[in-house]
Amino acid sequence: KHSIGHEYEEMLKRRLNELNISYEHEDDLRSKGYDKTPDIKLTIPIAIDGYVINWIESKASFGDKQSHRTYLKDQFWSYWNRFGAGLVIYWFGYIEQLDEHRQKGILLMKDLPSNITYMD
C-alpha cells in the first residue's frame, strides 16, 4: 500500500513538472518545520473549475465514506487551516456525494485535470 501511494505521488510530481507548476513536496515542508503537510504545496496557486487550489493530496485508493470522513478530520481540514483551499485526488475514484466541500475549499477529483488556470 505504501509503495503504491509513493508511485502515485511520483506520477503527480511528474505531471506537475510537465505543466510547469512550481511546488514543494511534503519532505520540503517538513524540513521547514511544518507538522501537518499535504503531499504537494503549490508555490503559486492554480485554479481548477474556478476554485483556487493551494495544495494537493494524492490518495492511491478509492474514496469511500468512512475513509474520507477520517481523512477530512485527520488531514484535509488541517491543510485547509494552514494553507487554504486544496485538491484531493482519489486515483481509484470516490463516491460522488463526498465532493460536498467545494464551496468551503476542498475539491475531490480522480486525476489532475488539464483545465488549469495559472495565477500571476
Side-chain angles (χ1 to χ4, degrees):
K1 187 174 179 179
H2 176 75
S3 65
I4 292 172
H6 181 73
E7 179 182 329
Y8 277 84
E9 281 182 39
E10 290 301 314
M11 184 173 69
L12 174 59
K13 289 193 289 188
R14 280 193 305 275
R15 186 94 184 276
L16 291 169
N17 290 334
E18 290 167 4
L19 295 169
N20 292 317
I21 296 174
S22 179
Y23 64 89
E24 293 179 290
H25 188 258
E26 63 187 323
D27 296 332
D28 302 321
L29 296 171
R30 283 195 195 108
S31 72
K32 292 181 177 182
Y34 288 98
D35 59 339
K36 289 276 191 173
T37 59
D39 294 321
I40 299 293
K41 166 67 175 81
L42 301 174
T43 306
I44 299 171
I46 58 174
I48 298 174
D49 294 339
Y51 296 94
V52 174
I53 301 299
N54 296 291
W55 54 268
I56 303 173
E57 180 70 11
S58 172
K59 294 293 182 193
S61 62
F62 179 80
D64 63 76
K65 188 175 182 178
Q66 181 58 42
S67 63
H68 182 68
R69 182 181 300 133
T70 301
Y71 288 139
L72 275 169
K73 182 174 71 74
D74 295 344
Q75 294 181 310
F76 306 155
W77 289 122
S78 295
Y79 306 157
W80 181 86
N81 281 328
R82 287 166 174 77
F83 306 111
L87 168 65
V88 177
I89 300 175
Y90 282 112
W91 295 103
F92 297 103
Y94 58 91
I95 298 170
E96 296 292 328
Q97 292 82 0
L98 298 177
D99 192 16
E100 61 185 350
H101 298 292
R102 282 182 172 236
Q103 297 301 323
K104 293 179 184 174
I106 297 179
L107 280 73
L108 303 184
M109 296 193 152
K110 298 173 189 158
D111 196 351
L112 182 65
S114 57
N115 62 332
I116 293 171
T117 303
Y118 296 86
M119 311 295 261
D120 292 329

